[in-house]
Amino acid sequence: MINFQYTRATDIADAVRQIAIDPSAKLIAGGTNLIDLMKKYVERPSRLIDISRLPLQTVEETAAGGVRIGALVPNSDLAYHPLVGQRYPVLASAILAGASQQLRNMASTGGNLLQRTRPRCG
Amino acid sequence: MAYPTARISIALIVNGVERQLKVTPWTTLLDALRDHLDLTGTKKGCDHGQCGACTVLIDGRRINSCLTLAVMKDGAEVTTIEGLATGGVLHPLQQAFIEHDAFQCGYCTPGQICSAAGLIAEGQATTPDEIRELMSGNICRCAAYPNIVAAIQQVIGGMP
């Protein structure tokens, strides 16, 4: 894998500040997409900013009757969350239809939406 | 392009024992276990999160150690195949894999067993179909799948 520097964001503002000043840096959470691409030299960040410990891990009901999902909620936790199971069973099924349980345990909701898809290249 | 990046000191609680190690940021958990801690039970198959041979448990959850950076898991509890037996007694899954002849070459087996331990902890699978679906992240090129499912089902069925 390529060499890179590593820092851990202390809070959300710190993560935003760090990524804003370094265009060649990348945020990392679950890593299932980014590390795979880095091993293929598709992504070559000079620095990874670890946001995996930021407090964005909750799924909560909103006053309007919706559900607010933290960007760092793992795919599996979201699929098995009671609120999602009751109100959005198709979402739960869709999540569980993708990847494997190991990957779903790692992959974050935010990263899932932001992942860089690619053609199969072996 | 090489950076003069200092190694980073981290602590991992591996199979119940705290281990201190210094790793480069790009060292995966898989390589840290195998090359730094000499725990070679965890296998490198595809190295891209597709085969499941590198499956270990982090804080009780199964993950692909090949797609995990060791530095990101500083302080975490890691359980590998070497940590499942207790006091010389095989883990029920290890015993069941032997009884059901659930492997041929054995290369995928540590990942299969760690994955099955995670599956049982999740509590989402009881039927053979559910076991097959939730074990889909572990490939067995010898195709011992029927016996793997039978072994896991036996352990699930034998639980209180």
Side-chain angles (χ1 to χ4, degrees):
Chain A
M1 191 156 37
I2 61 164
N3 296 5
F4 54 86
Q5 294 181 312
Y6 170 86
T7 54
R8 188 179 294 156
T10 54
D11 55 34
I12 295 169
D14 181 47
V16 172
R17 192 162 48 240
Q18 286 198 48
I19 193 76
I21 60 172
D22 188 353
S24 63
K26 286 271 182 192
L27 302 175
I28 186 165
T32 55
N33 186 221
L34 182 58
I35 294 177
D36 183 33
L37 292 172
M38 287 165 66
K39 287 184 176 185
K40 290 282 188 190
Y41 304 102
V42 174
E43 292 282 3
R44 296 158 168 255
S46 62
R47 194 156 64 102
L48 291 185
I49 303 161
D50 181 359
I51 59 167
S52 65
R53 302 189 187 206
L54 298 183
L56 298 165
Q57 316 251 6
T58 56
V59 177
E60 55 199 9
E61 199 166 8
T62 66
V67 173
R68 183 182 171 90
I69 303 161
L72 294 174
V73 175
N75 285 184
S76 51
D77 288 13
L78 184 61
Y80 295 129
H81 195 282
L83 269 177
V84 175
Q86 286 159 20
R87 296 191 194 168
Y88 308 102
V90 175
L91 174 61
S93 297
I95 294 168
L96 294 174
S100 66
Q101 189 69 357
Q102 289 96 315
L103 290 168
R104 293 191 293 266
N105 280 342
M106 304 165 73
S108 67
T109 303
N112 195 207
L113 296 173
L114 293 169
Q115 70 177 302
R116 177 175 177 181
T117 53
R118 61 183 172 113
R120 284 190 64 83
C121 51
Chain B
M1 63 189 160
Y3 289 84
T5 306
R7 287 175 181 252
I8 298 171
S9 293
I10 62 167
L12 298 173
I13 301 155
V14 182
N15 300 327
V17 179
E18 183 170 323
R19 308 289 298 265
Q20 304 282 341
L21 55 169
K22 289 187 174 180
V23 293
T24 57
W26 49 90
T27 302
T28 61
L29 178 62
L30 174 61
D31 289 341
L33 290 169
R34 290 182 55 84
D35 300 339
H36 292 244
L37 299 177
D38 209 23
L39 291 169
T40 54
T42 308
K43 301 300 186 229
K44 182 179 286 192
C46 69
D47 210 22
H48 284 277
Q50 297 169 8
C51 77
C54 69
T55 303
V56 299
L57 303 170
I58 292 189
D59 299 326
R61 292 160 67 99
R62 50 179 164 155
I63 58 97
N64 297 118
S65 62
C66 74
L67 291 182
T68 303
L69 297 178
V71 284
M72 292 179 67
K73 296 302 167 188
D74 186 18
E77 290 195 22
V78 183
T79 304
T80 70
I81 189 69
E82 290 92 343
L84 289 181
T86 47
V89 179
L90 292 179
H91 185 281
L93 280 164
Q94 292 173 309
Q95 189 62 45
F97 268 60
I98 293 170
E99 288 169 11
H100 287 271
D101 199 17
F103 48 87
Q104 288 184 46
C105 83
Y107 196 83
C108 73
T109 311
Q112 297 278 359
I113 290 177
C114 284
S115 188
L119 170 133
I120 290 170
E122 290 154 12
Q124 299 290 341
T126 49
T127 67
D129 272 353
E130 289 166 343
I131 293 169
R132 272 189 287 273
E133 175 63 32
L134 288 175
M135 287 295 294
S136 70
N138 292 84
I139 306 300
C140 172
R141 298 208 72 175
C142 305
Y145 298 113
N147 302 16
I148 292 169
V149 172
I152 296 170
Q153 197 178 18
Q154 174 183 297
V155 176
I156 291 173
M159 289 171 60

